Amino acid sequence: MIKHYVKIAFRNLAQQKVLTGINAFGLSVGIACFSLFLLYAVHEFSYDRFHTNAGRIYRVVEWWQGEGRAPGGSGGMYTPVAEAMKRDFADVEYAVRLKGADCFMKAGDRIFNTSITYADNSFFNIFTFPLIYGNAKTALQQPDQLVITKEKALQLYGTTNVVGRILEIKTDSAFEPYTISAVAENIPANSSVKFNLLCSFERIINHPEVQKSNKDWYMTIGLEAFVQLKPGSRLAYEQNRLDLFRKKYYSEEQKPRKKGKKAEKKKEPEIQTSFRLQPIRDIHTNPQIEGGTDPKNIWLLITIAGAVLLIACINFTTLAIGRSAGRAKEIGVRKVMGSQRTQLIGQFLAESLLLSVASAITGLILAHALLPLFNQLADRKLSFSLSRFPELPWLLVGLTLLVALLAGSYPALVLSSFKPILVLKQKIRVGGANLFTRSLVTLQFVLSIGLIISTIIILQQLSYIRSKNIGFNKENVVMINAQGIHSKKIYPLYKEAIQSQSGILSVTASEMGLGSGEGQMGWGFTDHLGQVKGVIAYPGDYNFLNAMGIQLVAGRNFNPSIASDSMGAVIVNEALVQQVLGTTNEKALGMEIRNAKGDAATKKIIGVSRNFNFEDLTHTVRPQMFYRPAILEPSRIFVRLQAGDPRRHLALLDANWKKLVPDAPFEYHFLDEKFDNFYKNEKRWSAIAGWAGGISIFLACLGLFGLAALAAVNRTKEIGIRKVMGATVTNVVALLSKEFIMLIAIALLVASPLAWYVMHDWLQAYAWRINITWWVFAVTGFFALLVAVTTVSVQAIKAALTNPVKSLRTE
Amino acid sequence: MIKIRDLEKIYRTEEVETVALNKISIDVKEGEFVAIMGPSGCGKSTLLNILGLLDDPDNGSFLFNNIEVAHFNERKRAELRKHNIGFVFQSFNLIDELTVFENVELPLIYTGVKSGERKKRVEEVLDKMQIMHRRNHYPQQLSGGQQQRVAVARAVVNNPKLILADEPTGNLDSSNGNEVMSLLTDLNEQGTTIIMVTHSEHDARYSHRIIRMLDGQTVLENIMV
Ligand SMILES: Nc1ncnc2c1ncn2[C@@H]1O[C@H](COP(=O)(O)OP(=O)(O)O)[C@@H](O)[C@H]1O
Ligand SMILES: [Mg+2]
């Protein structure tokens, strides 16, 4: 029987090649899209689950809670805490400190920039990072030992078996030898704990800064602490024990803050600080703790993925109904011949199962082929690794069956229930262009139109903030990394060497970088109301403002011939004048401002610069100041080039660099790209939304195509009659398109306010934002209509050109 | 009015070639009422479709009001058709989704008659066919005789010079059939030319002349007296 079903199914599918093809292709695309998005989501939620003891590993975080600020935490931990926890809590099995640092490594005569991680010996007891070579127990025993990843080993030596080799590494001032003790498998992409080179914490324990931090329980040096609890321990949920621990080492926090009046107490926000244990699996997706991503975005993606799949399934159903529409008669005959209803249902399900299995296979192949492109889009390194996601095949098999059942059951049940006589007499229309399928198609267009509107608005906002004059000129500026070199000496030499060359407009330097990932330095200043305000500080060269194109609105620039300019003179921005000083630009000149802590010298204002923004434009301009330190030790050198092809200039910069600093690579970024990187996420999301929108409108059109075909079939006779009555081709096309245009119009009406609401919400995050304009909706609507009308017209024209004699003959 | 000479129509399917009209020649004068008879499959409907400018012949000449139309393209045929010819079919061919009024209104819409004028003319003709009281009903709610009266109303609403009827009584009982036949006779008496295909000798007697066909050719003509 089943063989019979399959045989007939094959024959039926082959008979309607175009519709079958569209049907299968649409589902394939949907499944491909869905599996990629799902892969991404699974990846995001799978972070740090691969550790054998993942359920018992926790990161120690500091948690703030209190009036006037949202509760949140940070994984930045104080140096002595990990050891103290191990000592004080019997249920802490292992504790580990991790500290990362930038370094240079030398292999032969080549020098690479990379990162090194210092970790306590217990590292491999806690984390599951398999070693290819070497022994986990002894790999970090000696302070000159180094564990290297397979990837780095290949990069350096072209081979993986490199245990025993000596690698020279420079973290401070000179290269020092390390012995490679082990080679680790590459770190999984879904790991929060990452390393390239791993070294014992012993190595830096005597470093003065680390020493200091080991005694000072308030000093952070960018270190993280992890603990592994013994099985059965509930320490992470026994906050009172952790609070007692905090009390023990931070006794002064428990003292009452002020013995003043109650009114005064109210003014001072009360912030409670505590230690907490954050499950390692929670790190990646907990936005409350610094560095965690918001799972809202992942859920959004899953929703989009679900929507696209839903669209594909809806299509599959409408098209399956469409395909079966022409077969009403066959069913009638079969029924008269005594076919059981169950047999008919079996026949239809066999067809849709066959088709959906084929689509699923094609879809997976498609997904596999598109993975590299998707990885680029999502900025991830995803792979369809069965070992990492053992659930994946089951998920997909289940999905395929579900789709087949959903798509097959509607036509199966509806068609098999026809009264045969009615069908044979063609008295009833095949359920197809009914309310159900119409709603489905409308829903598809709601989703597609919504996604497209969102994409356009994201793109508009992106181009707006990119084009927005941020107060200085970031084009054609090369930012050179001067970290880890003797920049105090080298910078003046380098400047001297290049500044008079043709094509080099100006050279300056700062102890701070600019743009995404460069961080900021700031101090608290007491404002005119007595409150502490953060001020961002830029220690730079005399000509920094000029070179960057920052304009002064009052006062003067730094002048190398005025000695006091490198001793306490500052140029501040308008925001500082308004928010901290509460005065006017002119009055601010000559004023002195004092660091809130009082441990730095007083600053005297010599100039006020126009407001500009060194941050991403979700922020408004914050108070900023510039000064020329007495001894300038830049970490970044900025070179403004003449506009045009930069290759010649870059070669010049590189050559001069090599002459002066042969032991550090010439590493640079273009400043405008650095600023563009602030919007990497936005770009990624607009790309994803754009693709999803494009795919969904494509799928929706497939559905529409099927529906139009169905309508044309169902209305063959009517069209014939109308033509006999004098209808032209245009009349017929208009007739058939009219109702679909209605559907699109409804979809536009539903999608527009939805998209407006979501995007309006999204835009609120930006201090500088566009207004959503009506024409975005108009253009999208017009586009959707155009695409839909074109799709429908293909069918409509075909129907309109059919000789009416033929359509009326079928009696 | 109609003058065809050596008209040929051949249907080609994958294997078989059917000669539906084999060098047929016929003349119909203005004001005539002609019946066409013959066994099933002899080409009557094919002939009617060509006369009605719904289909084009493969060979031969077709003069309609002294204009050669055999090689008219679809658009020209449609233009000529909608102003001059009305159709009545055996299976009525009303549109189920439209009311009686809307069905009858259809040809007027496609010839571009204004809505006020349309209403007047549709009501006029519905009155004449005595189905005014059914104007807002749908075809499925009417009896066969009533449906065919609607179809006749639709055929004449444009005041065509020629009405082509393909077995108009084929699906009707005799009393309903007679009613339709007398409608056609009335129209003919008012000057409309009528060409009707029928299987019924009884109905054929309403006509002035019977053309008998066999295998795509005329075999006999009876002039009625
Ligand atoms: N569209 C068509 N394709 C193929 N053969 C056709 C077509 N229309 C009619 N025929 C054939 O042409 C012949 C004449 O048909 P028709 O004019 O409908 O006959 P009648 O109306 O006299 O019964 C028949 O043999 C019929 O099968
Ligand atoms: Mg016939």
mmCIF file of all heavy atoms in Angstrom, chain A residues 805-806 809, chain B residues 9-13 16 18-21 38-49 55 166-167 197 199 213 216, ligand 1:
data_model
loop_
_atom_site.group_PDB
_atom_site.id
_atom_site.type_symbol
_atom_site.label_atom_id
_atom_site.label_comp_id
_atom_site.label_asym_id
_atom_site.label_seq_id
_atom_site.Cartn_x
_atom_site.Cartn_y
_atom_site.Cartn_z
ATOM 1 N N VAL A 805 -12.914 29.893 -25.674
ATOM 2 C CA VAL A 805 -13.603 28.724 -26.219
ATOM 3 C C VAL A 805 -13.159 27.480 -25.467
ATOM 4 O O VAL A 805 -13.949 26.607 -25.132
ATOM 5 C CB VAL A 805 -13.287 28.583 -27.723
ATOM 6 C CG1 VAL A 805 -13.875 27.297 -28.265
ATOM 7 C CG2 VAL A 805 -13.836 29.782 -28.477
ATOM 8 N N LYS A 806 -11.869 27.450 -25.165
ATOM 9 C CA LYS A 806 -11.307 26.294 -24.475
ATOM 10 C C LYS A 806 -11.845 26.184 -23.061
ATOM 11 O O LYS A 806 -12.218 25.110 -22.598
ATOM 12 C CB LYS A 806 -9.781 26.419 -24.420
ATOM 13 C CG LYS A 806 -9.086 25.397 -25.303
ATOM 14 C CD LYS A 806 -7.591 25.471 -25.103
ATOM 15 C CE LYS A 806 -6.911 25.051 -26.392
ATOM 16 N NZ LYS A 806 -5.572 25.614 -26.491
ATOM 17 N N ARG A 809 -15.372 25.037 -22.971
ATOM 18 C CA ARG A 809 -15.662 23.726 -23.545
ATOM 19 C C ARG A 809 -15.685 22.637 -22.468
ATOM 20 O O ARG A 809 -16.231 21.576 -22.656
ATOM 21 C CB ARG A 809 -14.614 23.384 -24.597
ATOM 22 C CG ARG A 809 -15.224 22.951 -25.915
ATOM 23 C CD ARG A 809 -14.117 22.631 -26.897
ATOM 24 N NE ARG A 809 -14.206 21.252 -27.303
ATOM 25 C CZ ARG A 809 -13.330 20.324 -26.988
ATOM 26 N NH1 ARG A 809 -12.298 20.655 -26.258
ATOM 27 N NH2 ARG A 809 -13.473 19.091 -27.413
ATOM 28 N N LYS B 9 -11.216 24.363 -40.204
ATOM 29 C CA LYS B 9 -10.679 24.414 -38.839
ATOM 30 C C LYS B 9 -10.190 23.026 -38.486
ATOM 31 O O LYS B 9 -10.937 22.056 -38.540
ATOM 32 C CB LYS B 9 -11.762 24.862 -37.843
ATOM 33 C CG LYS B 9 -11.275 24.958 -36.417
ATOM 34 C CD LYS B 9 -10.421 26.199 -36.193
ATOM 35 C CE LYS B 9 -9.837 26.238 -34.793
ATOM 36 N NZ LYS B 9 -8.952 27.397 -34.612
ATOM 37 N N ILE B 10 -8.907 22.967 -38.160
ATOM 38 C CA ILE B 10 -8.322 21.663 -37.843
ATOM 39 C C ILE B 10 -7.718 21.724 -36.442
ATOM 40 O O ILE B 10 -6.967 22.647 -36.127
ATOM 41 C CB ILE B 10 -7.217 21.298 -38.873
ATOM 42 C CG1 ILE B 10 -7.842 21.271 -40.280
ATOM 43 C CG2 ILE B 10 -6.584 19.961 -38.535
ATOM 44 C CD1 ILE B 10 -6.826 21.326 -41.390
ATOM 45 N N TYR B 11 -8.124 20.810 -35.593
ATOM 46 C CA TYR B 11 -7.522 20.724 -34.252
ATOM 47 C C TYR B 11 -6.418 19.704 -34.267
ATOM 48 O O TYR B 11 -6.612 18.577 -34.691
ATOM 49 C CB TYR B 11 -8.573 20.317 -33.213
ATOM 50 C CG TYR B 11 -9.614 21.378 -32.980
ATOM 51 C CD1 TYR B 11 -10.917 21.201 -33.424
ATOM 52 C CD2 TYR B 11 -9.284 22.553 -32.305
ATOM 53 C CE1 TYR B 11 -11.880 22.171 -33.213
ATOM 54 C CE2 TYR B 11 -10.247 23.530 -32.086
ATOM 55 C CZ TYR B 11 -11.540 23.328 -32.538
ATOM 56 O OH TYR B 11 -12.478 24.292 -32.319
ATOM 57 N N ARG B 12 -5.270 20.134 -33.825
ATOM 58 C CA ARG B 12 -4.150 19.191 -33.764
ATOM 59 C C ARG B 12 -3.794 18.935 -32.297
ATOM 60 O O ARG B 12 -3.474 19.854 -31.568
ATOM 61 C CB ARG B 12 -2.929 19.763 -34.468
ATOM 62 C CG ARG B 12 -3.114 19.832 -35.967
ATOM 63 C CD ARG B 12 -1.839 20.279 -36.662
ATOM 64 N NE ARG B 12 -2.077 20.323 -38.105
ATOM 65 C CZ ARG B 12 -2.630 21.368 -38.742
ATOM 66 N NH1 ARG B 12 -2.949 22.448 -38.068
ATOM 67 N NH2 ARG B 12 -2.860 21.318 -40.044
ATOM 68 N N THR B 13 -3.886 17.708 -31.903
ATOM 69 C CA THR B 13 -3.346 17.343 -30.599
ATOM 70 C C THR B 13 -2.134 16.476 -30.869
ATOM 71 O O THR B 13 -1.785 16.254 -32.023
ATOM 72 C CB THR B 13 -4.389 16.593 -29.743
ATOM 73 O OG1 THR B 13 -4.911 15.533 -30.518
ATOM 74 C CG2 THR B 13 -5.503 17.527 -29.320
ATOM 75 N N VAL B 16 -3.595 12.972 -32.773
ATOM 76 C CA VAL B 16 -4.669 13.036 -33.768
ATOM 77 C C VAL B 16 -4.835 14.435 -34.338
ATOM 78 O O VAL B 16 -4.552 15.429 -33.713
ATOM 79 C CB VAL B 16 -6.028 12.573 -33.182
ATOM 80 C CG1 VAL B 16 -6.138 11.077 -33.251
ATOM 81 C CG2 VAL B 16 -6.202 13.118 -31.784
ATOM 82 N N THR B 18 -7.920 16.497 -35.913
ATOM 83 C CA THR B 18 -9.363 16.463 -36.149
ATOM 84 C C THR B 18 -9.744 17.593 -37.083
ATOM 85 O O THR B 18 -9.472 18.758 -36.811
ATOM 86 C CB THR B 18 -10.131 16.653 -34.819
ATOM 87 O OG1 THR B 18 -9.527 15.837 -33.830
ATOM 88 C CG2 THR B 18 -11.585 16.279 -34.980
ATOM 89 N N VAL B 19 -10.349 17.215 -38.183
ATOM 90 C CA VAL B 19 -10.855 18.255 -39.078
ATOM 91 C C VAL B 19 -12.253 18.600 -38.612
ATOM 92 O O VAL B 19 -13.208 17.860 -38.836
ATOM 93 C CB VAL B 19 -10.883 17.761 -40.542
ATOM 94 C CG1 VAL B 19 -11.374 18.869 -41.459
ATOM 95 C CG2 VAL B 19 -9.498 17.294 -40.953
ATOM 96 N N ALA B 20 -12.379 19.712 -37.897
ATOM 97 C CA ALA B 20 -13.671 20.075 -37.312
ATOM 98 C C ALA B 20 -14.542 20.761 -38.361
ATOM 99 O O ALA B 20 -15.751 20.562 -38.406
ATOM 100 C CB ALA B 20 -13.475 20.983 -36.110
ATOM 101 N N LEU B 21 -13.944 21.578 -39.218
ATOM 102 C CA LEU B 21 -14.669 22.197 -40.334
ATOM 103 C C LEU B 21 -13.895 21.908 -41.613
ATOM 104 O O LEU B 21 -12.706 22.163 -41.689
ATOM 105 C CB LEU B 21 -14.787 23.719 -40.121
ATOM 106 C CG LEU B 21 -15.620 24.171 -38.919
ATOM 107 C CD1 LEU B 21 -15.587 25.690 -38.814
ATOM 108 C CD2 LEU B 21 -17.046 23.645 -39.025
ATOM 109 N N GLY B 38 -27.117 18.619 -36.616
ATOM 110 C CA GLY B 38 -26.171 17.592 -37.017
ATOM 111 C C GLY B 38 -25.748 16.780 -35.818
ATOM 112 O O GLY B 38 -25.969 17.193 -34.667
ATOM 113 N N PRO B 39 -25.190 15.601 -36.059
ATOM 114 C CA PRO B 39 -24.808 14.734 -34.938
ATOM 115 C C PRO B 39 -23.701 15.354 -34.090
ATOM 116 O O PRO B 39 -23.002 16.271 -34.529
ATOM 117 C CB PRO B 39 -24.306 13.454 -35.617
ATOM 118 C CG PRO B 39 -23.945 13.887 -36.994
ATOM 119 C CD PRO B 39 -24.841 15.034 -37.352
ATOM 120 N N SER B 40 -23.574 14.854 -32.921
ATOM 121 C CA SER B 40 -22.573 15.356 -31.985
ATOM 122 C C SER B 40 -21.174 15.196 -32.573
ATOM 123 O O SER B 40 -20.862 14.168 -33.165
ATOM 124 C CB SER B 40 -22.694 14.567 -30.681
ATOM 125 O OG SER B 40 -21.819 15.083 -29.736
ATOM 126 N N GLY B 41 -20.386 16.240 -32.462
ATOM 127 C CA GLY B 41 -18.990 16.174 -32.934
ATOM 128 C C GLY B 41 -18.833 16.523 -34.388
ATOM 129 O O GLY B 41 -17.735 16.409 -34.927
ATOM 130 N N CYS B 42 -19.904 16.989 -35.051
ATOM 131 C CA CYS B 42 -19.775 17.280 -36.469
ATOM 132 C C CYS B 42 -19.238 18.680 -36.737
ATOM 133 O O CYS B 42 -19.031 19.062 -37.873
ATOM 134 C CB CYS B 42 -21.109 17.075 -37.182
ATOM 135 S SG CYS B 42 -22.311 18.356 -36.792
ATOM 136 N N GLY B 43 -19.044 19.457 -35.706
ATOM 137 C CA GLY B 43 -18.401 20.756 -35.900
ATOM 138 C C GLY B 43 -19.314 21.955 -35.735
ATOM 139 O O GLY B 43 -18.931 23.079 -36.045
ATOM 140 N N LYS B 44 -20.507 21.729 -35.168
ATOM 141 C CA LYS B 44 -21.468 22.830 -35.037
ATOM 142 C C LYS B 44 -20.927 23.931 -34.114
ATOM 143 O O LYS B 44 -20.936 25.115 -34.454
ATOM 144 C CB LYS B 44 -22.803 22.299 -34.470
ATOM 145 C CG LYS B 44 -23.397 21.154 -35.247
ATOM 146 C CD LYS B 44 -24.689 20.659 -34.646
ATOM 147 C CE LYS B 44 -24.567 20.114 -33.232
ATOM 148 N NZ LYS B 44 -23.892 18.806 -33.141
ATOM 149 N N SER B 45 -20.453 23.512 -32.947
ATOM 150 C CA SER B 45 -19.958 24.506 -31.991
ATOM 151 C C SER B 45 -18.742 25.231 -32.542
ATOM 152 O O SER B 45 -18.595 26.439 -32.365
ATOM 153 C CB SER B 45 -19.591 23.828 -30.673
ATOM 154 O OG SER B 45 -20.748 23.311 -30.071
ATOM 155 N N THR B 46 -17.905 24.480 -33.229
ATOM 156 C CA THR B 46 -16.724 25.101 -33.819
ATOM 157 C C THR B 46 -17.133 26.197 -34.791
ATOM 158 O O THR B 46 -16.594 27.306 -34.775
ATOM 159 C CB THR B 46 -15.887 24.028 -34.542
ATOM 160 O OG1 THR B 46 -15.597 22.982 -33.614
ATOM 161 C CG2 THR B 46 -14.600 24.609 -35.074
ATOM 162 N N LEU B 47 -18.096 25.857 -35.604
ATOM 163 C CA LEU B 47 -18.587 26.845 -36.567
ATOM 164 C C LEU B 47 -19.141 28.078 -35.860
ATOM 165 O O LEU B 47 -18.824 29.217 -36.209
ATOM 166 C CB LEU B 47 -19.683 26.200 -37.444
ATOM 167 C CG LEU B 47 -20.374 27.151 -38.432
ATOM 168 C CD1 LEU B 47 -19.367 27.640 -39.477
ATOM 169 C CD2 LEU B 47 -21.565 26.491 -39.107
ATOM 170 N N LEU B 48 -19.936 27.821 -34.840
ATOM 171 C CA LEU B 48 -20.549 28.929 -34.124
ATOM 172 C C LEU B 48 -19.496 29.828 -33.477
ATOM 173 O O LEU B 48 -19.603 31.049 -33.473
ATOM 174 C CB LEU B 48 -21.511 28.376 -33.063
ATOM 175 C CG LEU B 48 -22.784 29.176 -32.850
ATOM 176 C CD1 LEU B 48 -23.569 29.291 -34.145
ATOM 177 C CD2 LEU B 48 -23.645 28.521 -31.780
ATOM 178 N N ASN B 49 -18.474 29.203 -32.923
ATOM 179 C CA ASN B 49 -17.409 29.986 -32.283
ATOM 180 C C ASN B 49 -16.676 30.868 -33.290
ATOM 181 O O ASN B 49 -16.288 31.983 -32.965
ATOM 182 C CB ASN B 49 -16.404 29.054 -31.595
ATOM 183 C CG ASN B 49 -16.999 28.440 -30.341
ATOM 184 O OD1 ASN B 49 -17.935 28.986 -29.752
ATOM 185 N ND2 ASN B 49 -16.481 27.282 -29.956
ATOM 186 N N ASP B 55 -13.049 32.434 -32.113
ATOM 187 C CA ASP B 55 -11.972 31.581 -32.576
ATOM 188 C C ASP B 55 -11.679 31.956 -34.012
ATOM 189 O O ASP B 55 -12.523 32.549 -34.691
ATOM 190 C CB ASP B 55 -12.442 30.118 -32.488
ATOM 191 C CG ASP B 55 -11.307 29.193 -32.107
ATOM 192 O OD1 ASP B 55 -10.138 29.648 -32.164
ATOM 193 O OD2 ASP B 55 -11.589 28.030 -31.761
ATOM 194 N N ASP B 166 -25.964 28.310 -28.795
ATOM 195 C CA ASP B 166 -25.487 26.927 -28.922
ATOM 196 C C ASP B 166 -26.331 26.040 -28.031
ATOM 197 O O ASP B 166 -26.157 26.025 -26.813
ATOM 198 C CB ASP B 166 -24.003 26.861 -28.524
ATOM 199 C CG ASP B 166 -23.346 25.582 -29.029
ATOM 200 O OD1 ASP B 166 -24.099 24.654 -29.414
ATOM 201 O OD2 ASP B 166 -22.107 25.524 -29.038
ATOM 202 N N GLU B 167 -27.252 25.324 -28.642
ATOM 203 C CA GLU B 167 -28.181 24.445 -27.928
ATOM 204 C C GLU B 167 -28.802 25.145 -26.726
ATOM 205 O O GLU B 167 -28.654 24.690 -25.593
ATOM 206 C CB GLU B 167 -27.471 23.161 -27.481
ATOM 207 C CG GLU B 167 -26.897 22.395 -28.664
ATOM 208 C CD GLU B 167 -26.323 21.050 -28.220
ATOM 209 O OE1 GLU B 167 -26.948 20.421 -27.350
ATOM 210 O OE2 GLU B 167 -25.276 20.655 -28.748
ATOM 211 N N VAL B 197 -27.726 26.581 -32.815
ATOM 212 C CA VAL B 197 -27.432 25.161 -32.942
ATOM 213 C C VAL B 197 -28.436 24.420 -32.094
ATOM 214 O O VAL B 197 -28.710 24.815 -30.956
ATOM 215 C CB VAL B 197 -26.005 24.850 -32.456
ATOM 216 C CG1 VAL B 197 -25.805 23.338 -32.325
ATOM 217 C CG2 VAL B 197 -24.977 25.442 -33.406
ATOM 218 N N HIS B 199 -30.402 20.311 -31.305
ATOM 219 C CA HIS B 199 -30.614 18.899 -31.606
ATOM 220 C C HIS B 199 -32.092 18.614 -31.795
ATOM 221 O O HIS B 199 -32.464 17.510 -32.165
ATOM 222 C CB HIS B 199 -30.110 18.045 -30.428
ATOM 223 C CG HIS B 199 -28.635 17.826 -30.448
ATOM 224 N ND1 HIS B 199 -27.992 17.226 -31.503
ATOM 225 C CD2 HIS B 199 -27.670 18.125 -29.541
ATOM 226 C CE1 HIS B 199 -26.702 17.174 -31.251
ATOM 227 N NE2 HIS B 199 -26.477 17.720 -30.057
ATOM 228 N N MET B 213 -25.461 19.567 -40.914
ATOM 229 C CA MET B 213 -24.014 19.340 -41.062
ATOM 230 C C MET B 213 -23.646 17.903 -40.797
ATOM 231 O O MET B 213 -24.307 17.200 -40.031
ATOM 232 C CB MET B 213 -23.225 20.217 -40.066
ATOM 233 C CG MET B 213 -23.177 21.681 -40.447
ATOM 234 S SD MET B 213 -22.268 22.602 -39.184
ATOM 235 C CE MET B 213 -20.633 21.931 -39.367
ATOM 236 N N GLY B 216 -18.138 18.210 -40.536
ATOM 237 C CA GLY B 216 -17.541 19.511 -40.839
ATOM 238 C C GLY B 216 -18.002 20.125 -42.149
ATOM 239 O O GLY B 216 -17.412 21.082 -42.613
HETATM 240 N N1 LIG C 1 -10.200 22.486 -28.666
HETATM 241 C C1 LIG C 1 -10.291 21.337 -29.330
HETATM 242 N N2 LIG C 1 -9.227 20.518 -29.433
HETATM 243 C C2 LIG C 1 -9.288 19.352 -30.094
HETATM 244 N N3 LIG C 1 -10.372 18.919 -30.730
HETATM 245 C C3 LIG C 1 -11.494 19.682 -30.665
HETATM 246 C C4 LIG C 1 -11.499 20.926 -29.973
HETATM 247 N N4 LIG C 1 -12.731 21.452 -30.073
HETATM 248 C C5 LIG C 1 -13.459 20.579 -30.820
HETATM 249 N N5 LIG C 1 -12.710 19.522 -31.165
HETATM 250 C C6 LIG C 1 -13.108 18.414 -31.972
HETATM 251 O O1 LIG C 1 -13.668 18.915 -33.158
HETATM 252 C C7 LIG C 1 -14.826 18.207 -33.523
HETATM 253 C C8 LIG C 1 -15.999 19.148 -33.575
HETATM 254 O O2 LIG C 1 -16.354 19.552 -32.305
HETATM 255 P P1 LIG C 1 -17.594 20.472 -31.985
HETATM 256 O O3 LIG C 1 -17.555 21.628 -32.885
HETATM 257 O O4 LIG C 1 -17.605 20.755 -30.544
HETATM 258 O O5 LIG C 1 -18.795 19.490 -32.338
HETATM 259 P P2 LIG C 1 -20.337 19.653 -32.027
HETATM 260 O O6 LIG C 1 -20.544 20.974 -31.387
HETATM 261 O O7 LIG C 1 -20.949 19.519 -33.335
HETATM 262 O O8 LIG C 1 -20.663 18.545 -31.138
HETATM 263 C C9 LIG C 1 -14.997 17.124 -32.503
HETATM 264 O O9 LIG C 1 -14.451 15.921 -33.012
HETATM 265 C C10 LIG C 1 -14.206 17.592 -31.335
HETATM 266 O O10 LIG C 1 -13.667 16.488 -30.634
#
